[in-house]
Amino acid sequence: MATPNTPLWEVFIRSRNGLAHKHVGSLHASDATMALQAARDIYTRRGEGLSIWVVPSSAITASDPAEKGMMFEPAESKIYRHPTFYEVPEEVGHM
Amino acid sequence: MYTQALNTAEADDRSLEDAAQAATFQARIDAEVRIEPNDWMPAAYRKTLTRQISQHAHSEIVGMLPEGNWITRAPTLRRKAALLAKVQDECGHGLYLYAAAETLGSSREELVDAMLAGKAKYSSIFNYPTLTWADIGTIGWLVDGAAIMNQIPLCRCSYGPYARAMIRVCKEESFHQRQGYEIMLTLCRGSDEQKAMAQDALNRWWWPVLMMFGPPDATSQHSDTSTRWKIKRFSNDELRQKFVDATVPQAQYLGLTIPDPGMTQDADGHWCYSGINWTEFKQVLAGNGPCNRDRMAARRKAHAEGAWVREAAAAYAAKRVQRQTAQAAE
């Protein structure tokens, strides 16, 4: 008999105070409590974290890599959003 | 991003792949751009990686068996705690790797079922028995040492999730190898019997460890495309040579003899080993090694005995969801 599928969770860990939670990997667990415990065992065996988030993988909506041109091109063409676009004479000093 | 739902198998089951897409894909690989789960990839790339990563995962899980065999008989509490932590790491490595394999579209359950059905392979090395405590030292020193040699280049593999899993694994393997070498060093500095035990373990493990790097380059069936796709960065023979060159001085330091009387050192300092018994390798892969049946039986037993836990956890989760839905409706 085929083994029934157990839900997939994405694991995010805050490694130090002041840092954001960062994606570290995924795991299978039947509910959120077990997912948190499994995340502790799988991803923090050497003190890698102070805080863990687990999120059902099915709750994530992702952008399509095939459409990344359309998605991100508008930002690339707007070079006037970067400080180096503007000319400030050297005499003015650091700005 | 590891969502299975986005990697629908049918979308990639096209018999005619777009030649332009294939060319773009190869260009990305050549430019050292990592491939991510939702990127377009040739069906053969997906298949090769699913096979390789899942075999790697199965190897980590089966690899817990020969060492787990000695947890209750470790000679001291320090050794026992270290071995327990090492075996737990191997389990973690298996799980990272299953997660990486799953991003290619097969579920962990399918992959595990294929292994239990005998349809998927695992590393030949775990079909050898751990007869004495010195075998635990030798496994850490040589088997994990060989695994590190193999895995370090995989940290730069073209497939992102596999490369990232390997970075985590490699960080942890270093402890494994050092604890193994420390066991060997303690035995070699001990009584004559202890040193003889260390030598005996080296004699039995040396050749199977050299086989871990896979068939010689001239006969390896997967190497060419894997190299082109930058899954593989060095050939089997290159990695094997690197391993031998690194290991011979370590054995000399222990005062142990490599069981290869024909071994010589060339002008460049490389150690030239004698011919490897590839018939034995093929036999072990075909299921006829000393422990193949034991290993498969142990995995099937553990999986079957865990079935009620999986069922109970799923039933409990379903009950809680039902209760929450009922409460929300009130």
Side-chain angles (χ1 to χ4, degrees), chain B:
Chain B
M1 243 299 297
Y2 287 65
T3 316
Q4 269 172 286
L6 293 169
N7 289 312
T8 46
E10 57 267 33
D12 296 289
D13 226 9
R14 289 163 291 193
S15 49
L16 260 179
E17 277 168 356
D18 191 326
Q21 274 180 313
T24 311
F25 174 82
Q26 189 60 47
R28 289 186 66 190
I29 300 253
D30 294 342
E32 300 284 338
V33 175
R34 291 283 180 277
I35 306 301
E36 294 297 337
N38 301 322
D39 294 339
W40 186 89
M41 62 183 86
Y45 179 83
R46 186 183 298 277
K47 198 175 157 197
T48 299
L49 273 171
T50 304
R51 179 184 54 80
Q52 180 171 339
I53 304 172
S54 65
Q55 278 181 12
H56 198 160
H58 303 327
S59 302
E60 300 284 353
I61 299 298
V62 177
M64 296 164 77
L65 296 169
E67 293 185 290
N69 179 32
W70 278 90
I71 291 173
T72 56
R73 294 177 287 163
T76 65
L77 193 55
R78 180 177 183 272
R79 295 283 186 223
K80 188 176 193 163
L83 184 57
L84 198 56
K86 178 180 190 298
V87 173
Q88 195 190 5
D89 274 356
E90 305 299 0
C91 177
H93 297 176
L95 296 179
Y96 307 152
L97 286 161
Y98 281 126
E102 281 189 302
T103 62
L104 293 159
S106 311
S107 72
R108 184 176 76 184
E109 289 81 359
E110 284 172 72
L111 300 171
V112 169
D113 286 349
M115 201 274 282
L116 295 175
K119 283 185 251 167
K121 290 187 165 55
Y122 55 88
S123 175
S124 59
I125 196 74
F126 302 116
N127 290 313
Y128 290 86
T130 41
L131 303 178
T132 71
W133 174 250
D135 290 33
I136 299 305
T138 311
I139 287 182
W141 170 36
L142 298 182
V143 175
D144 289 275
I148 292 171
M149 258 334 154
N150 251 324
Q151 288 167 353
I152 284 179
L154 286 174
C155 296
R156 293 189 293 124
C157 155
S158 60
Y159 189 56
Y162 193 25
R164 291 192 286 274
M166 278 301 110
I167 292 169
R168 287 190 71 86
V169 168
C170 284
K171 273 187 197 160
E172 300 182 352
E173 291 286 3
S174 164
F175 134 60
H176 298 176
Q177 194 186 17
R178 289 171 65 105
Q179 69 91 36
Y181 195 73
E182 195 195 81
I183 291 173
M184 296 307 273
L185 199 57
T186 308
L187 289 172
C188 290
R189 286 173 176 168
S191 66
D192 289 349
E193 286 89 341
Q194 285 172 317
K195 190 163 182 187
M197 196 198 266
Q199 181 65 56
D200 167 65
L202 175 59
N203 292 349
R204 283 181 290 109
W205 287 94
W206 177 253
W207 292 105
V209 165
L210 292 194
M211 293 173 198
M212 282 176 72
F213 294 94
D217 295 350
T219 63
S220 181
Q221 48 175 327
H222 301 299
S223 283
D224 288 349
T225 35
S226 289
T227 305
R228 189 160 50 86
W229 283 332
K230 300 202 174 169
I231 296 171
K232 214 176 161 67
R233 299 265 176 178
F234 297 97
S235 76
N236 294 352
D237 286 337
E238 281 168 342
L239 289 170
R240 192 164 15 242
Q241 187 61 53
K242 268 174 103 160
F243 172 78
V244 171
D245 290 339
T247 307
V248 170
Q250 294 165 358
Q252 287 170 340
Y253 185 83
L254 292 170
L256 296 177
T257 311
I258 303 277
D260 180 359
M263 187 179 257
T264 53
Q265 196 171 19
D266 70 13
D268 301 325
H270 295 300
W271 291 93
C272 311
Y273 47 90
S274 307
I276 294 171
N277 182 353
W278 293 112
T279 314
E280 176 182 325
F281 177 70
K282 280 180 200 143
Q283 280 297 314
V284 175
L285 275 191
N288 303 317
C291 298
N292 295 59
R293 285 176 193 80
D294 279 2
R295 301 297 185 231
M296 288 304 290
R299 284 309 309 143
R300 286 176 183 141
K301 182 167 176 273
H303 190 73
E305 287 178 355
W308 73 269
V309 180
R310 293 188 293 275
E311 283 164 23
Y316 179 68
K319 197 173 80 178
R320 282 182 45 132
V321 169
Q322 215 172 23
R323 193 179 295 158
Q324 278 165 0
T325 320
Q327 273 171 356
E330 273 171 19

Side-chain angles (χ1 to χ4, degrees), chain A residues 3 6 23 28 30 45-46, chain B residues 89 102 109 113 172 303:
Chain A
T3 310
T6 308
H23 185 243
H28 289 271
S30 53
R45 286 196 302 282
R46 288 173 176 79
Chain B
D89 274 356
E102 281 189 302
E109 289 81 359
D113 286 349
E172 300 182 352
H303 190 73

